[in-house]
Structure formats: structure tokens, C-alpha cells
Amino acid sequence: MIRRILSIAGKPGLYKLVSQGKNMLIVESLSTGKRTPAYAHDKVISLNDVSIYTQGEDMPLSEVFDKIAKANNSQPVDLKKFSDASAMRAYFGEVLPEFDPERVYNNNIKTVFTWYNQLIAAGVTKFKDDEIKEDDAAETAEKADKAE
């Protein structure tokens, strides 16, 4: 499911990919459910393509979300509880101790927490690859049914 969740530069929130048209995508806002087009000139990024710098190899965002969910019992992160950026950074360090503090900035951390909260609010609770494989299997079955 996370590979169908998109971030579009210049537009607030996250979007779910609904369909593709010629030179555009049809996306649906996770918060409002409103469908809008995203054109070829828009900078569209799938959350599946985003990763966080760590001391070793980069960690996919789906794994980071999974760690945040485990730390919060699948509840949203209360961003208001952080008195300042250093408190937010310290909490992120508890959730993901191997993150690279020199290459991960405070606004990156806030964005990760904000995206996580939006996904939880939209009812997305599984972020790992097993869900992606199920989506692929469903799409393959659907295409096979249409071909028959």
C-alpha cells in the first residue's frame, strides 16, 4: 500500500494513486478524499522510494514507519509534546538509533512524523513489503480476469 501513497511538491498532505491518464496521475487526498490530477510537471514522489540516512545502509521509509508504529503502539506521534527540535530529534533517536544525525535534518524528522500521522489517520497500519506483494498479486489477478 505504501508504494501507492504519494507526496506532491507544492500540495499539502499525502495522496493515494487512483489511476493514470495521459501525462497525468489521478490522485486522492488521504485527508479529504478529494480527487485531483497531478500533471507530468509536478514533482511526485512515492513514499516507497524515500529512505532515511543511517550509519550503515539507507533505511526504507516503510521500515522507519514500522519502528515508529511499534514505539507508539500504532498511535499517532504527538508533535506538540516536543518542546523544541532537539527533543524531537532525541525521540527520533530512540525510535531509530542508527539514523545519521549529520545528514538527517530536523525538518526531515518532522516530515516523517507528519507523514506517519497522516497514514495512521487514513487507516494505514501496515507499512512492510508483505502488503506490497499482496497488492501486486491482486493486480495480477485483476489483469488476468480482464484478459479472459
Side-chain angles (χ1 to χ4, degrees):
M1 170 102 175
I2 196 167
R3 74 181 168 91
R4 293 179 164 260
I5 305 297
L6 308 172
S7 172
I8 303 172
K11 292 186 179 185
L14 294 175
Y15 297 84
K16 181 171 81 171
L17 177 63
V18 176
S19 180
Q20 278 185 278
K22 187 175 183 178
N23 295 327
M24 70 175 181
L25 301 172
I26 305 298
V27 296
E28 182 178 290
S29 172
L30 288 182
S31 59
T32 64
K34 183 179 176 185
R35 291 185 178 188
T36 59
Y39 297 100
H41 62 80
D42 292 328
K43 184 177 179 184
V44 179
I45 300 170
S46 169
L47 295 191
N48 196 45
D49 296 336
V50 178
S51 60
I52 297 294
Y53 293 118
T54 64
Q55 300 295 340
E57 292 186 21
D58 295 349
M59 181 176 288
L61 198 56
S62 59
E63 290 182 30
V64 175
F65 286 156
D66 195 48
K67 288 181 181 256
I68 295 170
K70 286 179 183 171
N72 286 312
N73 297 321
S74 296
Q75 297 298 314
V77 176
D78 183 12
L79 294 175
K80 294 178 184 176
K81 77 176 180 180
F82 302 121
S83 58
D84 58 3
S86 62
M88 182 175 56
R89 182 175 277 280
Y91 179 72
F92 192 71
E94 291 173 18
V95 173
L96 187 68
E98 62 269 19
F99 89 99
D100 188 345
E102 293 180 9
R103 296 191 295 171
V104 178
Y105 301 109
N106 293 336
N107 61 339
N108 301 130
I109 295 170
K110 186 174 181 181
T111 300
V112 167
F113 286 147
T114 303
W115 284 351
Y116 169 79
N117 288 346
Q118 290 174 0
L119 290 171
I120 292 296
V124 178
T125 57
K126 294 194 177 193
F127 310 105
K128 290 282 189 169
D129 290 340
D130 57 346
E131 188 171 296
I132 291 171
K133 291 176 186 172
E134 289 173 12
D135 285 348
D136 286 346
E139 286 178 1
T140 304
E142 186 177 310
K143 287 179 184 177
D145 288 342
K146 288 181 180 178
E148 292 178 25

